[in-house]
Amino acid sequence: SDNHDDGDNHDDNGNANGNSNGNGNDNGDDGHASPPPVVSAPSGPPAASCTTPGQEMAFSSADGRVSVRIFPSLSQSIKLTIATPIDPASVPPSPGAIVGGLLFQVIAQTCDGAPIAVLPAEVNLGVSYSDADAAGLNESSFTLSRLDTSANQWRATPKQAADPNGNFTSATITEMGYYVLHQR
C-alpha cells in the first residue's frame, strides 16, 4: 500500500493520531514532552572549572592553541577563560606581525563570578603555533605581549621562554587581559 496521505486514503501504519499535515511527524506522539531539554544539571561544568588551591590545573582555549597552567602555589580558587578569536580592530595595533592570529584574552574570576585583574600567584601562559603560522617569520623573535590598558600600549611579558623547534612560546604571568603572539 502507498504510505503518503493525500486525504483520500487512510494510512495503514497503525498511528491514529490524525496527523495529516504532511510534516512526516507520524511518530505516535502521546502528548509527553521530548527528553532532550533534560540534558544535565547546569551546575556541573562551572564547578569543574574552578581551581582547587594546592592542585595544578590547566585551562585551554577552544582551539587548544592557548593554555594556562595554574600551579599548586595559587592559594585562591579561580575560574579562567581564554577568549578567542579577538577582533584585531578592537585593540591597538600589535607591536609586530601577529603570529597565526594568536590574539586572545585571558579572563580570571572568583568561583562566584567576580572579576580578578591580577592573580595572587604566577601562572604559565603557553601558546602553540603551526609551521604555516610561522612561515616567513623569525621564530626566535616571537614575543608574547599584554595590552597595558592604562597606557593603551602592548608591553612584552617579562618572563618568557621560546621553543622555536617545538612551535611554542610561554610566559609566566599574573595579569589578566589581552595578549598577542607577535614577531619582535
Side-chain angles (χ1 to χ4, degrees), residues 62-76:
D63 64 7
R65 298 184 342 148
V66 180
S67 64
V68 175
R69 183 170 303 284
I70 309 292
F71 299 114
S73 57
L74 187 66
S75 59
Q76 176 181 4

Side-chain angles (χ1 to χ4, degrees), residues 55-132:
Q55 290 186 4
E56 187 167 310
M57 191 166 178
F59 294 87
S60 294
S61 59
D63 64 7
R65 298 184 342 148
V66 180
S67 64
V68 175
R69 183 170 303 284
I70 309 292
F71 299 114
S73 57
L74 187 66
S75 59
Q76 176 181 4
S77 291
I78 66 163
K79 282 193 287 189
L80 203 108
T81 305
I82 301 163
T84 62
I86 301 296
D87 178 2
S90 68
V91 294
S94 171
I98 298 176
V99 177
L102 285 160
L103 169 63
F104 53 92
Q105 185 178 16
V106 181
I107 304 161
Q109 299 173 308
T110 62
C111 293
D112 61 9
I116 302 171
V118 180
L119 296 176
E122 295 179 329
V123 296
N124 183 266
L125 171 63
V127 180
S128 298
Y129 53 89
S130 69
D131 287 335

